[in-house]
Every structure is written in C-alpha cells, then in structure tokens.
C-alpha cells in the first residue's frame, strides 16, 4: 500500500498549499527511499541495499526528462500561449466586447449573450483563461452592473465563458491530453469543436430562459440611436473578422492536414503579431512581455511534468499502479462503472488541484486501464477535457473565480461569484453526461 499512501500524501501536501511540481518530486524521492528500504530489509540487505535500490530507481530519470524536452507535441504549448498573450495585449477582447454589446444590447440578456459569444471567440483565438476572465471582468461586468444585471448571473457568465478556452481548440488541455493518450492533437481539436459549440449554445439558452422568465435579472439596455445599424455592424465586423480569420487559418490548416498543430501554432504567433500591428497596438514592450509570459507558463507546465514523471515512476515501482488497476477493473458495472468512477474522481479533484496536476498524475494511471477495456482513447480524452474544464469554476480553488475576484468591484461578494457559477457547472456536467453517453457507448 506504499503507493496509495504516497498518493494521499501528495494530495495532503497540495491541500496545505505547497508548490505542485516540487511536492510531486519531494514525495517521489521520499517514498522512493522508503520503498527501497522496505524491499532491501525484506531481502536482508540493510540500509546500504536500500540506497542502492533508490539509486537504481532514479537512474533513468535524466533520460525521461530528456525525452520530455524532445517531445514535439508539447512544443505547441509555448507557441499557443505566446499567440494568446499577444492577442490579449492587443485589446482584442475589449474591441469584440464593445461591438457585441452594441449589437445585442437591446435584447434581454444581450450583454450576457455578448459575453458568451466573445468568450467563445477568445477561446478559439487565445485559449488563455486568465486573460479572458480579466478582460471581460474589467469591460463587461461594469456594464452589467450599470444596467442592473443580477450580480451572480453576470459573474457566472463571465467565469463560464472564459473557461471555454479549455475545450474549444486550440487548447493547452487538448495538447497535453494528446501527449498522455498518444492520440493526434489535430484529431482532438477536430472532435472538440462540437462539444465546445454545444456548451456555448447551452450557456446562451440558459441566459435566454433566465431573461425571459425573470427579466429584471438581465434587462435590455437602451438602444443608442445616434449610431446607425449599418455602422454598428461595420464596427462589429472590423472587431471580429481579423481574429476569426486567424482562427480559421490556424485550425483549418490542422483539420485539412496542411500543417501539424506545432506548425500551425507557429503560424498563429506570426498572425497574432500581424493583428497587433493592424490594431496599432504592437510595440517591443508587448513583444517582450508576451515572451516572458510564455516562458513562465511553459516553465510551470514542464516543471510540473518533470515532478509528475518522478512521482508516477515511483508510484508504479511501489505497486500503487497495480492496486489502482485491480480496484478499477473490479468496479461494478464493468466499463461504465469505470467511466463513472473516473469522472467523479476527476471532478472532485478539480475542487482542489489544477488541470495540469490531474492530467499528469491521475491520467497516466487510468489511461492503460481504459485501453485494456476497449474504450476509444480519442473520445475518452474529449470527455476528460470537458470534465477538467469544470476545475476552473469549482470553489474553493477555481482559477476563474480567483481572476474575477481580483478585478471585480468591492460591491461584488465572493459568495455571489460562487452562486453565479453554480448553474454553469451544472450545465457543463449535463453536457458532459450527454456526450459521455453518445461518444463512449
């Protein structure tokens, strides 16, 4: 049971607030030494033998790290992050939100619907959740409050819309899952479009229903007659068309097999710089900031990956993988029992830890079991990506909640943010259940 205790110890350390990557590495080394000592004393070799086993256990660690650094799939991570940061710095969200708000403002719930649509466009063009939450929190939330929108509804709409970047490609989550499941990232991107659009539609439908039955929660804003409809449409096209064309070029080249995701991400970086020039926002300071942000984000992901690699190596060596495999294969309900258990575990872990940690710690354990059961890895990865999306909304550690709390005015209570995201979490879970049934049956 050393491996199981090791897993629980890692969760405890994370819950206490220790750094993720270094927690995994430290727990791996500690339990690797304990496992070596247990085996050595069992064989009668004593302390020296335990250290020898520990050394042999970690002897291949440098080769594992080197193979991670050589992974061509993961090269797309820093490039897509860079693309997203450049577009965020060029005030893309601000332009789209202002144009959309004018177009839909005269409809009940129009500002919330605009926020959802802009969130989907930002997801397809940047995929950076934090930037989307901050941008829409700064621009859209004050307008909602000005026109007496329900605070919880406004906060929930912003947080949920921003998380669309985790399922609508290009998505960092899908790139990571493509590596873990050993499936083509381009196919993951292609299969993730429909679930992403269904979530957008479900969000908009929810806002429509709320605005229809309780119009005081999402009132229409007065129509500005000083600007003609033609001018409004022209302004919206100017704000939306360039980033939309970039998305079509990046994703289209992947879907048509013209370029790999890594090559398309490089093209996206160039396109993002061109857009920043078109919007007259380009400067070398923005370029420097984007490069620094990309390096920081990539370093965090790869450091976690190295720590998680050490963790999974020791976890397997100490027999934890065999215990988990035996437990999961003997669950009632066969394949569906396994799928339901995995979905519940991932959802619950999302309350406490980030999608990267879940991806690199939990998934390497369950993926081989899923393959042995004949579950389609491509569709299973899509379902898990939809589940991981909820980790950005679930309190107390949902990142979207933190980002919005940081930019929301003092009149917004944290409890109102939590209350606002609850219906959207339920919507995500409902869509997840539907796709789980139709994709994995």
């Amino acid at each position: 049971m050393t491996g199981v205790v090791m897993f629980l110890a890692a969760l405890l350390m994370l819950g206490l607030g220790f750094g993720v990557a270094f927690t995994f590495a430290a727990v791996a080394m500690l339990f690797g030494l304990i496992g070596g000592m247990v085996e050595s004393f069992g064989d009668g070799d004593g302390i020296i033998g335990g250290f020898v086993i520990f050394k042999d256990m970690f002897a291949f660690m440098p080769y594992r790290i080197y193979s991670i650094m050589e992974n061509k799939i993961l090269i797309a991570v820093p490039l897509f992050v860079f693309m997203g940061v450049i577009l965020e710095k060029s005030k893309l969200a601000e332009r789209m939100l202002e144009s959309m708000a004018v177009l839909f403002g005269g409809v009940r719930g129009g500002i919330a619907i605009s926020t959802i649509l802009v969130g989907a466009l930002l997801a397809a063009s940047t995929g950076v959740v934090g930037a989307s939450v901050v941008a829409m929190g700064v621009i859209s939330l004050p307008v909602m409050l000005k026109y007496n929108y329900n605070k919880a509804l406004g906060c929930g709409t912003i947080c949920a819309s921003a998380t669309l970047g985790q399922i609508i490609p290009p998505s960092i989550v899908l790139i990571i899952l493509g590596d873990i499941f050993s499936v083509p990232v381009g196919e993951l991107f292609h299969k993730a479009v429909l679930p992403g659009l269904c979530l957008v539609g479900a969000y908009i439908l929810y806002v429509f229903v709320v605005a229809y039955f309780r119009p005081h929660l999402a009132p229409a804003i007065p129509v500005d007659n000083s600007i003609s409809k033609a001018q409004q449409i022209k302004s919206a096209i100017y704000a939306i068309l360039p980033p939309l064309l970039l998305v079509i070029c990046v994703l289209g080249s992947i879907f048509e097999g013209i370029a790999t995701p890594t090559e398309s991400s490089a093209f996206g970086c160039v396109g993002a710089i061109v857009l920043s020039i078109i919007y007259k926002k380009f400067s070398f300071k923005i370029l420097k900031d984007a490069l620094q942000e990309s390096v920081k984000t990539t370093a965090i992901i790869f450091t976690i990956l190295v720590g998680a690699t050490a963790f999974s190596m020791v976890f397997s060596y100490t027999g934890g993988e065999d215990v988990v495999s035996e437990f999961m294969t003997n669950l009632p309900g066969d394949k569906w029992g396994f799928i339901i258990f995995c979905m519940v575990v991932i959802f619950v872990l999302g309350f406490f830890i980030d999608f990267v940690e879940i991806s690199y710690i939990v998934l390497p354990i369950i993926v081989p079991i899923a393959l042995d059961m004949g579950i389609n890895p491509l569709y299973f990865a899509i379902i898990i990506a939809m589940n991981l999306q909820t980790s950005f909304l679930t309190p107390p550690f949902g990142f979207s909640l933190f980002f919005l709390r940081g930019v929301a005015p003092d009149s917004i209570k944290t409890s109102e943010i939590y209350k606002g995201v609850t219906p959207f979490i339920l919507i995500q879970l409902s869509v997840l259940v539907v796709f789980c049934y139709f994709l994995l049956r």
Side-chain angles (χ1 to χ4, degrees), residues 61-103:
M61 192 64 198
Y63 299 100
R64 289 184 176 230
I65 295 173
Y66 189 72
S67 67
I68 292 170
M69 297 302 120
E70 278 192 319
N71 192 318
K72 293 181 180 179
I73 295 176
L74 296 178
I75 293 175
V77 172
L79 293 174
F80 275 127
V81 171
F82 176 81
M83 170 183 162
V85 175
I86 285 288
L87 290 175
E88 184 262 327
K89 299 288 184 185
S90 65
K91 305 296 183 183
L92 173 77
E94 183 176 336
R95 289 176 178 273
M96 288 197 292
L97 270 171
E98 288 174 349
S99 300
M100 286 283 196
V102 171
L103 285 178

Side-chain angles (χ1 to χ4, degrees), residues 109-130:
I111 304 175
I113 293 170
S114 302
T115 301
I116 295 169
L117 293 173
V118 170
L121 287 170
L122 285 175
S125 55
T126 70
V128 182
V129 172

Side-chain angles (χ1 to χ4, degrees), residues 12 19 65 69 90 114 145 152 168 234 244 247 252 259 336 425-427:
L12 176 63
I65 295 173
M69 297 302 120
S90 65
S114 302
L145 296 178
I168 295 179
K234 182 180 177 180
L244 187 60
V247 169
W336 283 108
I425 294 173
L426 296 176
I427 291 171

Side-chain angles (χ1 to χ4, degrees), residues 89-380:
K89 299 288 184 185
S90 65
K91 305 296 183 183
L92 173 77
E94 183 176 336
R95 289 176 178 273
M96 288 197 292
L97 270 171
E98 288 174 349
S99 300
M100 286 283 196
V102 171
L103 285 178
F104 290 95
V107 180
R108 287 180 187 171
I111 304 175
I113 293 170
S114 302
T115 301
I116 295 169
L117 293 173
V118 170
L121 287 170
L122 285 175
S125 55
T126 70
V128 182
V129 172
S132 299
V133 175
V134 170
M136 291 190 288
V138 170
I139 302 164
S140 182
L141 186 57
V143 178
M144 291 184 185
L145 296 178
K146 177 182 177 181
Y147 291 103
N148 300 314
Y149 263 65
N150 177 264
K151 295 177 182 178
L153 176 63
C155 292
T157 302
I158 290 171
C159 289
S161 302
T163 63
L164 290 169
Q166 298 306 297
I167 188 64
I168 295 179
S171 162
I172 303 302
V173 173
L174 294 176
I175 295 172
I176 292 174
L177 293 182
D179 177 52
I180 294 172
F181 279 84
S182 298
V183 295
V185 175
E187 288 190 36
L188 274 179
F189 281 4
H190 189 269
K191 299 296 184 184
V193 172
L194 181 59
L197 293 178
C198 285
L199 276 173
V200 173
Y203 291 167
I204 292 175
L205 179 61
Y206 168 71
V207 172
F208 264 128
V209 171
V210 170
Y212 181 81
F213 288 103
R214 305 182 71 182
H216 64 283
L217 298 182
I221 64 175
V223 178
D224 185 2
N225 294 318
S226 64
I227 304 175
S228 67
K229 198 67 177 178
Q231 288 177 309
Q232 294 175 7
I233 295 173
K234 182 180 177 180
S235 176
I237 291 174
Y238 178 72
I240 295 168
L241 191 58
L244 187 60
L245 286 175
L246 178 61
V247 169
I248 292 172
C249 291
V250 171
L251 295 183
S253 63
I254 297 173
F255 296 162
E256 293 299 321
I258 299 172
T260 66
T262 303
E263 293 166 343
S264 294
S265 64
F267 174 79
C269 291
V270 176
I273 293 175
V274 171
L275 282 184
S276 69
I277 294 172
I278 291 174
Y279 288 132
K280 298 179 181 179
K281 295 292 182 181
F282 178 80
S283 69
F284 286 103
K285 183 180 184 306
I286 287 179
L287 183 63
K288 178 184 175 183
D289 291 343
L291 288 169
Q292 287 180 334
E293 191 67 30
S294 303
V295 169
K296 287 179 184 177
T297 304
T298 307
I300 290 171
I301 292 174
F302 276 75
T303 305
I304 291 173
L305 177 51
V306 170
T309 300
F311 184 93
S312 60
M313 182 177 67
V314 176
F315 185 80
S316 298
Y317 184 86
T318 55
E321 196 171 277
D322 296 332
V323 173
V324 174
S325 178
E326 183 178 353
F327 171 76
M328 287 191 166
T329 51
N330 291 319
L331 285 169
D334 196 31
K335 181 182 81 170
W336 283 108
F338 168 76
I339 292 171
I340 292 170
F341 180 80
C342 290
M343 293 300 106
V344 171
V345 168
I346 292 171
F347 176 71
V348 172
L349 287 176
F351 281 81
F352 308 102
I353 58 179
D354 173 270
F355 75 93
V356 180
E357 296 94 87
I358 297 174
S359 298
Y360 285 125
I361 293 301
V362 179
L363 298 190
I365 299 172
I366 67 174
V367 167
I369 304 172
L371 295 177
D372 289 341
M373 289 186 169
I375 298 173
N376 187 308
L378 187 64
Y379 291 134
F380 196 42

